[in-house]
């Protein structure tokens, strides 16, 4: 907890008065029209520089040449099947990324569209795994103002006119429109999930305009937060002496980005809905048999606002009214014909781009105000993955599976947005008004949440998939299970009591006997049928007990838009604090998915690109790296550079996340359900303890999340995670009443901790690893990741406090402050001499999410000054006006010269670990201050038995199912 005012922190104050005149702010302070005191801000005429991507050094290129050739070959093979490879460093986007991003639109999991701070709609991510980042310039808001009986007129697109390809004279397309906005007096203010654009006298000097963008991202609301819709509320203030007729125009193309309009078969139709909501539907037929998308653009007619539409216009004018003719009509009349509402559906398009327009017109009296609201929705009720499985999206639980539900989505958005804003403000205000924390942190905390919308999220209704085309056997198996049924694999009498000695037969050397947890021993299950190496045990929706958890659907989000893998677990380890804090039921659902995956085996062969060897896709007992790419949940481990069944961090990270979630939510049912997977994951790691000292060893290759950074022997990172996992597993076992496992893990922890400290502690920090390489004594920023999780979960420290603070201070002084004075974040590796570790590209990178995690660890150990300075480096380099332009696209990392790798990445959500440290959940904050490890008694018999236990391989055919009997001892 932070106490007192952190005056020693560098506070970046961004008062709105520095961007918008105070009088304009006061005039717009009606119905939320004025931007908030804390927000990320830009002027609309700010230059959007092209971002610079990282490059490897000559030596790095030589080392990775063979991997590069295999990657290129694999990417081409996937392309031949019409698929994207999960990682393809050779792929180049048609539109180079620039520093132009803003707050994305919509809720979570129903496809996303981003909107740049200058107003362009871009980053189209409606089809899972496919993102087109080029803007569709036909999608605009525009304004037409008429004063003095029409003798004084103003008109302009409400976006700066310095976009490439505009103002081609004689063109009948959008370059014929009036792009009169300079942006000099217009500003953008972002506080996710809302954004404000203020036009202070542009284009009409006597008209103040605020556009407020609102999306339904509402913590703990599992309905509205899934909706694919956004609202744009315009507040108009007339400071002139005469009445002003103001017409606002929304134009939209029948496109999902890029050249998607070329597929043809698209059509538009007008509609009149309830409560004055009317507009146009744009039906988009996607290519390659992807599910269709239907957009709705609408405005709300009131006593003072009149709404008209133009259902179709084109760019050339050959078959429809041209864009120029549409603009000329608006300039002359300020509205369209009311008869357009009865026009019916347009003819399907061939290859031309169809567009539609909705206009809302009103009179604003001298010194008067008016509010006009528009809404956008996109209904794509089905989400289809490239290997055949099709699911219904979460929002269809409430709106049905018709594409026409977009009519109801825009209606509800226009009638409920004020309620959404009330809930958003209730959530955000306590943090925004907390004077103990820096201002930059407040709005960056909320703005980093953009990834939960723009990070390729998919949120299904939780039901089995529909089958289309060629599908995986597991997908078919799940579909044929009874919809919504709780599945049970083994009856209670198949589970042995906790205290019974069970012979494991061939699983144990020499037929030894051992005590098996009552949750981990299953007998009598039969070998399932196999097809192409895949074990066709019936996939289950969740690991569930008889009462079952609430079905909040299934949730996926990408590692990044360049690394196309769902729920990448070693990265989710950092990002998951955001979901646990804001949508804990989703977080528990994800953990249940991985718990199920731990007990699952897929023996299909996969080639690993780093060394060219082959192995099985998924080993039982191993936590998967990800849930897949083209067939999530059924074809896991899309990542194929290394064999992740040999990684040393995934299993400990699973145990640590499960315990943290268990402790934070107090959900005993969840703890009981996932406990078999925890036991299996811990037992699986026995094979990596080569010398029986209780501590795992790394195997001389990059066998952890730093997958280009080789580790030898005992490592600070993986070894620390293992220590924390042993403590978490022992404590969880104790709380669940599984005493044999509690004793076993505590004994291992005691042995392993002694070895770890004796091997790696050098007096001021923990060495990178126990090897003899040139970087074995490097200072790794992430060396205390295990302790970070222990502290975040309310567990006792795994090391003495003075060692923890000493190591964190060393990281602060070297990894943070020796890189441009702390203005970049924490570099991953630093030599004891104060030079950046150049061992590989990852050792010399600054990882944004890791920096936030290190900062959170500092906060947890009373080092507030160091923690905020460390995290502020990410803000300064990534988000500030003097930085590199990574706002709303925070990358995995950057080099010390600011060149990025992997934009729009999951890990930076770890900033919510800082908020977790500042405001721990009630269950952890108010938990009894008792060290449960001290209450675990290790008997002499257990100590002897544990010392004699050999590595037990995970049996491939059995599943671990919780017992019907349950004992809890907290």
């Amino acid at each position: 907890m932070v106490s007192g005012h952190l005056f020693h922190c560098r506070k970046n104050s961004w008062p709105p008065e520095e961007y918008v005149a105070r009088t304009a702010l006061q005039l717009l302070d009606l119905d939320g029209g004025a931007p908030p005191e804390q927000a990320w801000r830009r002027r609309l005429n700010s230059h959007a520089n092209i971002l610079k991507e990282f490059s490897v050094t000559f030596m790095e290129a030589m080392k990775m040449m063979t991997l590069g050739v295999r990657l290129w070959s694999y990417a081409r093979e996937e392309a031949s099947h019409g698929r994207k490879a999960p990682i393809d460093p050779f792929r180049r986007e048609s539109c180079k990324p620039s520093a132009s991003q803003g707050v994305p639109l919509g809720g979570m999991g129903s496809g996303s569209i981003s909107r740049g701070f200058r107003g362009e709609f871009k980053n189209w991510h409606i089809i899972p795994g496919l993102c087109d980042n080029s803007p569709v310039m036909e999608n605009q808001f525009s304004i037409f103002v008429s004063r003095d009986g029409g003798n004084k007129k103003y008109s302009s697109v409400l976006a700066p006119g310095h976009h490439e390809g505009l103002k081609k004279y004689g063109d009948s397309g959008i370059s014929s429109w009036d792009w009169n906005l300079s942006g000099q007096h217009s500003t953008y203010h972002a506080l996710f999930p809302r954004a404000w654009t203020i036009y202070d006298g542009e284009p009409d000097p006597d008209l103040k305009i605020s556009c407020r963008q609102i999306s339904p991202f509402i913590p703990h609301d599992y309905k509205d937060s899934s909706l694919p819709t956004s609202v744009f509320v315009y507040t108009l203030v007339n400071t002139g002496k005469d009445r002003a007729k103001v017409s606002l125009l929304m134009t939209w193309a029948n496109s999902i980005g890029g050249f998607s309009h070329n597929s043809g078969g698209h059509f538009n139709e007008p509609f009149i809905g309830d409560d004055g909501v009317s507009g146009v539907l744009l039906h988009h037929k996607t290519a390659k048999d992807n599910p269709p998308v239907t957009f709705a653009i609408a405005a709300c007619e009131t006593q003072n606002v009149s709404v008209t539409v133009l259902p179709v216009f084109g760019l050339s004018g050959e078959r429809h009214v041209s864009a120029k003719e549409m603009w000329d009509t608006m300039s002359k009349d300020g509205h369209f014909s009311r008869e357009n509402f009865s026009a019916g559906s347009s003819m399907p398009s061939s290859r031309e781009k169809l567009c539609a327009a909705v206009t809302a017109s009103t009179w604003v009296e001298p010194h008067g105000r008016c509010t006009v609201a528009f809404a956008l929705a996109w209904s794509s009720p089905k989400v289809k993955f490239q290997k055949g499985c099709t699911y219904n999206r979460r929002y269809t639980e409430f709106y049905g599976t018709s594409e026409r539900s977009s009519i109801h989505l825009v209606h509800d958005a226009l009638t409920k947005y004020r309620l959404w804003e009330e809930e958003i403000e209730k959530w955000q205000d306590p943090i925004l008004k907390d004077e103990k924390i820096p201002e930059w942190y407040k709005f960056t905390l909320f703005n980093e949440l953009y990834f939960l919308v723009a990070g390729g999220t998919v949120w299904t209704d939780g039901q089995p998939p529909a089958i289309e085309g060629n599908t995986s056997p597991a997908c078919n198996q799940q579909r044929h299970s009874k919809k919504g049924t709780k599945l049970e694999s083994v009856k209670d009498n198949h589970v042995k009591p906790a205290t019974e000695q069970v012979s494991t037969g061939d699983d144990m050397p020499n037929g030894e006997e051992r005590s098996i947890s009552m949750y981990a021993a299953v007998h009598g299950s039969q070998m399932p049928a196999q097809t192409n190496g895949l074990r066709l045990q019936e996939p289950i929706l969740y690991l569930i007990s008889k009462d079952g958890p609430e079905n909040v659907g299934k949730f996926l989000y990408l590692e990044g838009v360049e690394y196309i893998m769902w729920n990448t677990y070693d990265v989710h380890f950092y990002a998951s604090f955001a979901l646990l804090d804001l949508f804990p039921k989703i977080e528990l659902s994800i953990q249940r998915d991985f718990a199920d995956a731990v007990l699952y085996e897929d023996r299909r062969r996969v080639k690993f690109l780093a060394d060219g060897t082959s192995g099985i896709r998924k080993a039982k007992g191993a936590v998967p790296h990800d849930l897949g790419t083209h067939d999530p949940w059924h074809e896991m481990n899309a990542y194929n550079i290394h064999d992740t069944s040999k990684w040393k961090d995934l299993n400990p990270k699973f145990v640590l996340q499960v315990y943290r979630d268990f402790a934070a939510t107090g959900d005993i049912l969840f703890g009981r359900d996932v406990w078999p997977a925890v036991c299996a994951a811990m037992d699986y790691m026995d094979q990596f303890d080569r010398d029986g000292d209780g501590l795992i060893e790394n195997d001389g290759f990059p066998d952890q999340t730093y997958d280009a950074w080789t580790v030898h022997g005992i490592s600070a990172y993986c070894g620390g995670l293992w220590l924390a996992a042993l403590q978490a597993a022992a404590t969880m076992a104790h709380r669940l009443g599984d005493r044999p496992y509690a004793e076993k893990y505590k004994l291992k922890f005691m042995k392993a901790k002694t070895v770890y400290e004796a091997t790696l502690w050098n007096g001021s920090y923990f060495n990178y690893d126990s090897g003899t390489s040139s970087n074995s004594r490097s200072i790794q920023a992430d060396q205390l990741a295990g302790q970070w999780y222990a502290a975040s979960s309310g567990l006792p420290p795994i090391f003495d406090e003075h060692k923890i603070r000493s190591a964190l201070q060393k990281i602060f002084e070297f990894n943070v402050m020796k890189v441009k004075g702390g203005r970049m974040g924490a570099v991953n590796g630093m030599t004891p001499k104060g030079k950046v570790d150049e061992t590989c590209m990852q050792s010399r990178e600054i990882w944004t999410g890791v920096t936030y995690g290190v900062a959170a660890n500092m906060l947890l150990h009373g080092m507030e000054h160091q923690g905020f300075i460390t995290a502020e480096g990410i803000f300064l380099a990534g988000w500030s006006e003097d930085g590199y332009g990574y706002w709303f696209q925070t990358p995995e990392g950057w080099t010390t010269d600011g060149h990025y790798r992997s934009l729009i990445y999951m890990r930076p959500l770890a900033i919510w670990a800082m908020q977790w440290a500042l405001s721990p959940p009630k269950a952890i904050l108010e938990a009894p201050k008792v060290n449960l490890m001290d209450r675990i008694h290790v008997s002499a018999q257990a100590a002897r038995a544990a010392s004699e236990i050999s590595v037990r391989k995970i049996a491939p055919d059995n599943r671990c199912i919780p017992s019907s009997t349950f004992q809890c001892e907290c």
Side-chain angles (χ1 to χ4, degrees):
M1 296 291 290
V2 171
S3 58
H5 293 254
L6 299 175
F7 289 121
H8 51 274
C9 280
R10 293 174 289 180
K11 295 186 70 173
N12 285 274
S13 180
W14 292 30
E17 293 85 357
E18 292 186 7
Y19 292 78
V20 185
R22 186 181 294 273
T23 53
L25 291 172
Q26 292 171 343
L27 290 170
L28 290 169
D29 192 18
L30 167 73
D31 192 29
E37 287 292 319
Q38 291 90 14
W40 179 90
R41 312 185 199 280
R42 279 294 176 278
R43 299 188 189 281
L44 264 61
N45 65 346
S46 298
H47 177 62
N49 58 288
I50 300 297
L51 305 180
K52 295 180 179 180
E53 192 170 7
F54 87 108
S55 58
V56 297
T57 66
F58 176 77
M59 290 303 297
E60 289 167 352
M62 293 302 293
K63 291 178 182 178
M64 294 189 293
M65 183 177 295
T66 305
L67 169 61
V69 171
R70 293 192 185 110
L71 262 174
W72 182 86
S73 177
Y74 174 67
R76 301 292 75 76
E77 179 186 351
E78 286 294 285
S80 70
H81 296 290
R83 301 189 295 261
K84 281 188 175 182
I87 301 175
D88 183 1
F90 310 101
R91 183 171 55 233
R92 290 292 177 264
E93 300 295 339
S94 57
C95 181
K96 291 184 177 180
S98 63
S100 59
Q101 295 288 7
V103 174
L105 309 177
M108 299 187 297
S110 295
S112 68
I113 307 165
S114 290
R115 192 179 186 214
F117 73 87
R118 297 181 302 181
E120 65 272 28
F121 294 87
K122 57 200 300 183
N123 282 52
W124 300 80
H125 209 153
I126 293 176
I127 297 174
L130 300 178
C131 182
D132 190 298
N133 62 1
S134 55
V136 176
M137 294 304 295
E138 293 81 6
N139 298 348
Q140 299 289 347
F141 286 99
S142 304
I143 192 166
F144 302 82
V145 184
S146 176
R147 295 177 181 270
D148 190 23
N151 293 323
K152 190 185 296 184
K153 289 189 174 184
Y154 304 91
S155 61
S156 180
V157 178
L158 290 174
H162 45 82
H163 285 285
E164 190 175 331
L166 299 178
K167 286 298 177 188
K168 295 178 182 177
Y169 293 100
D171 186 1
S172 60
I174 63 171
S175 59
S176 65
W177 298 353
D178 296 329
W179 298 80
N180 296 327
L181 199 78
S182 72
Q184 182 179 356
H185 302 292
S186 301
T187 53
Y188 181 83
H189 312 255
L191 188 66
F192 180 89
R194 296 188 293 173
W196 293 253
T197 306
I198 308 300
Y199 307 90
D200 191 0
E202 288 192 275
D204 181 348
D206 292 327
L207 189 66
K208 311 296 182 185
I209 309 168
S210 166
C211 173
R212 188 164 85 258
Q213 172 186 314
I214 308 155
S215 292
F217 183 96
I218 304 164
H220 307 287
D221 185 332
Y222 297 87
K223 177 187 176 183
D224 287 357
S225 295
S226 72
L227 304 184
T229 185
S230 285
V231 179
F232 305 88
V233 181
Y234 281 85
T235 302
L236 310 171
V237 180
N238 183 3
T239 60
K241 297 179 180 179
D242 50 0
R243 293 178 81 200
K245 182 183 179 182
V246 180
S247 297
L248 287 161
L249 173 72
M250 182 182 187
T251 53
W252 200 260
N254 197 325
S255 167
I256 57 172
F259 297 97
S260 60
H261 59 279
N262 286 344
S263 59
H266 320 305
F267 65 97
N268 300 349
E269 64 170 314
F271 72 88
I272 298 177
D274 297 332
D275 302 313
V277 176
S278 55
V280 181
L281 292 178
L282 297 90
H283 301 277
H284 187 84
K285 181 182 178 182
T286 58
K288 298 181 180 179
D289 293 325
N290 284 303
V293 182
T294 296
F295 293 99
I297 57 172
C300 191
E301 189 162 88
T302 66
Q303 185 176 357
N304 301 317
V305 178
S306 174
V307 176
T308 57
V309 302
L310 181 63
V312 183
F313 71 88
L315 302 183
S316 65
E318 294 178 1
R319 297 180 58 187
H320 307 285
V321 171
S322 71
K324 183 180 187 304
E325 291 169 331
M326 181 277 297
W327 190 268
D328 291 343
T329 298
M330 286 299 302
S331 296
K332 177 186 175 184
D333 302 328
H335 60 84
F336 302 115
S337 170
R338 299 286 299 183
E339 294 179 359
N340 288 343
F341 280 115
S342 58
S345 298
S346 67
M347 292 295 293
S349 66
S350 53
R351 292 178 61 86
E352 76 274 21
K353 185 180 288 187
L354 299 184
C355 302
V358 174
T359 185
S361 304
T362 187
W363 285 94
V364 188
E365 300 298 325
H367 307 292
R369 306 181 186 187
C370 186
T371 298
V372 177
F374 291 86
L376 166 70
W378 53 100
S379 178
S380 183
K382 296 187 182 299
V383 54
K384 180 182 178 182
F385 295 98
Q386 286 186 285
K387 289 195 175 179
C389 281
T390 301
Y391 300 83
N392 290 331
R393 296 190 190 265
R394 167 72 175 172
Y395 79 90
T396 63
E397 286 278 289
F398 319 107
Y399 286 84
T401 56
S402 168
E403 289 86 8
R404 297 183 66 85
S405 62
S406 52
I407 294 177
H408 305 292
L409 286 164
V410 289
H411 171 271
D412 288 359
L414 287 167
T415 55
K416 292 177 63 175
Y417 73 85
R418 290 183 176 85
L419 296 176
W420 292 346
E421 289 194 285
E422 288 178 10
E423 293 302 314
I424 291 167
E425 288 169 4
K426 284 180 189 176
W427 159 45
Q428 294 183 338
D429 279 355
I431 295 172
L432 296 175
K433 293 176 180 177
D434 187 346
E435 297 181 355
K436 299 190 293 264
I437 53 180
E439 184 173 345
W440 67 262
Y441 167 79
K442 297 176 185 178
F443 56 79
T444 307
L445 176 73
F446 292 113
N447 286 335
E448 287 284 18
L449 290 171
Y450 84 93
F451 187 84
L452 289 176
V453 172
T457 50
V458 171
W459 193 356
T460 78
D461 62 1
Q463 300 299 336
I467 304 302
E468 297 180 13
N470 296 324
T471 62
S472 69
C475 186
N476 281 284
Q477 190 84 352
Q478 181 170 340
R479 182 68 184 94
H480 294 315
S481 65
K482 196 171 182 179
K483 186 174 181 180
T485 301
K486 300 172 187 175
L487 307 175
E488 296 183 16
S489 300
V490 183
K491 295 186 181 294
D492 292 341
N493 59 8
H494 291 155
V495 183
K496 299 292 183 180
T499 57
E500 184 174 342
Q501 295 293 319
V502 181
S503 173
T504 59
D506 294 337
D507 293 342
M508 292 294 293
N510 305 318
E512 291 180 56
E513 293 184 345
R514 63 178 292 185
S515 177
I516 303 295
S517 165
M518 63 180 173
Y519 302 108
V522 179
H523 291 265
S525 59
Q526 297 179 349
M527 171 78 76
Q530 298 184 29
T531 302
N532 297 327
L534 175 66
R535 298 197 177 274
L536 290 182
Q537 56 196 49
E538 190 171 81
I540 59 178
L541 297 180
Y542 298 99
L543 278 176
I544 53 178
S545 294
K546 290 183 177 179
D547 295 334
E550 178 185 351
N551 178 17
V552 295
K554 295 273 201 174
F555 191 85
L556 300 169
Y557 63 148
L558 291 174
E559 178 177 338
V561 295
E562 297 176 34
Y563 296 165
I564 310 171
M565 294 164 284
W566 300 110
N567 294 3
T568 300
Y569 201 71
D570 55 309
V571 184
H572 181 69
F573 175 77
Y574 298 84
S576 57
F577 284 90
L579 283 174
L580 180 58
D581 200 354
L582 306 177
F583 297 94
K585 293 177 183 178
I586 290 178
E587 166 62 10
L588 295 189
S589 169
I590 291 174
Q591 298 300 349
R592 289 178 183 275
D593 284 343
F594 275 90
D596 186 21
V598 167
L599 305 174
Y600 181 69
E601 184 175 51
D602 184 347
R603 299 192 64 83
R604 286 175 291 185
R605 305 295 291 180
V606 174
K607 182 178 179 179
F608 302 114
L609 304 180
D611 58 9
T613 61
S614 296
I616 66 172
R617 177 176 290 278
K618 167 67 177 69
K620 188 169 184 180
V623 174
H625 171 273
D626 54 79
L627 291 182
T629 292
H630 301 306
D631 192 11
W633 297 295
H634 304 122
E635 188 177 272
M636 294 172 277
N637 282 336
Y639 177 92
N640 62 347
I641 294 178
H642 298 290
D643 181 356
T644 58
S645 68
K646 298 177 182 177
W647 276 20
K648 310 307 183 293
D649 63 335
L650 288 169
N651 283 38
K653 284 176 175 176
F654 170 71
V655 176
L656 287 170
Q657 288 182 72
V658 162
Y659 181 77
R660 178 203 57 187
D661 298 355
F662 173 62
T665 62
D667 190 333
I668 296 295
L669 177 63
F670 166 76
R672 171 187 171 183
D673 287 346
V674 300
W675 179 240
V678 171
C679 295
M682 293 296 290
D683 284 354
Y684 183 87
M685 296 301 291
D686 284 347
Q687 63 187 294
F688 303 122
D689 177 11
R690 315 292 185 193
D691 50 12
D693 60 2
L695 193 60
I696 60 172
E697 289 90 34
N698 291 84
D699 284 328
F701 75 99
D703 48 357
Q704 25 80 43
T705 194
Y706 300 90
D707 59 350
W709 198 358
T710 298
V711 197
H712 298 275
I714 298 169
S715 74
Y717 183 68
C718 294
L721 290 170
W722 176 242
L723 288 179
L726 285 169
Q727 180 176 244
T731 305
M732 189 171 180
H734 177 76
R735 293 181 64 175
L736 293 177
D738 191 346
R739 293 183 179 86
Y741 264 55
E743 293 178 10
K744 170 186 171 182
Y745 296 142
K746 179 178 179 180
L747 185 65
K748 278 193 175 185
F749 171 77
M750 293 164 58
K751 291 170 60 180
K753 177 182 175 182
T754 302
V755 175
Y756 181 94
E757 292 186 291
T759 305
L760 299 180
W761 180 251
N762 63 22
S764 59
Y765 66 94
F766 294 97
N767 290 337
Y768 176 69
D769 65 25
S770 62
T772 57
S773 63
S774 59
N775 71 318
S776 288
R777 284 183 57 83
S778 285
I779 307 162
Q780 185 180 9
D782 216 1
Q783 63 184 268
L784 291 175
Q787 172 54 36
W788 165 42
Y789 251 73
S792 298
S793 307
L795 291 168
I798 57 178
F799 310 115
D800 293 339
E801 188 67 25
H802 81 274
K803 290 183 178 179
I804 297 169
R805 291 178 63 91
S806 172
L808 289 173
Q809 184 64 29
K810 191 75 170 184
I811 293 165
F812 177 72
E813 292 174 358
F814 279 67
N815 301 60
V816 178
M817 298 307 295
K818 288 186 182 294
V819 181
K820 297 193 177 179
R823 300 178 64 85
M824 296 287 289
V827 69
N828 283 337
M830 182 70 78
T831 69
K833 295 182 178 180
K835 302 294 184 181
V836 173
D837 185 340
E838 302 279 354
T839 302
C840 66
M841 69 176 190
Q842 291 177 342
S843 64
R844 62 183 173 90
E845 286 180 329
I846 295 155
W847 283 11
T848 52
V850 168
T851 298
Y852 285 142
V854 170
N857 208 359
M858 291 172 175
L859 295 178
L860 287 163
H861 293 92
M863 301 172 68
E864 292 94 349
H865 170 75
Q866 294 92 327
F868 279 112
I869 292 292
T870 296
E872 188 185 25
I874 302 302
F875 165 77
L876 292 171
W879 288 82
S880 75
E881 206 151 8
D882 299 325
Y884 298 103
Y886 298 129
W887 45 82
F888 299 103
Q889 53 188 332
T890 316
E892 158 75 308
W894 47 67
T895 56
T896 53
D897 57 3
H899 294 189
Y900 75 88
R901 183 167 63 82
S902 187
L903 293 171
I904 312 181
Y905 196 78
M906 181 198 295
R907 204 180 320 246
L909 285 170
I911 192 173
W912 278 86
M914 295 180 66
Q915 190 59 28
W916 187 273
L918 294 170
S919 301
K922 186 176 180 181
I924 289 178
L925 192 64
E926 298 180 359
K929 306 303 179 185
V930 176
N931 185 344
L932 291 181
M933 290 286 281
D934 292 341
R935 298 174 64 178
I936 301 172
H937 173 68
V938 179
S939 65
Q941 179 184 3
R944 285 194 302 272
S947 66
E948 296 170 357
I949 289 176
S950 301
V951 175
R952 179 172 69 90
K953 297 179 181 178
I954 303 298
D957 306 328
N958 298 332
R959 290 189 62 92
C960 302
I961 302 296
S963 168
S964 61
T965 59
F966 178 72
Q967 179 181 1
C968 175
E969 182 180 332
C970 297

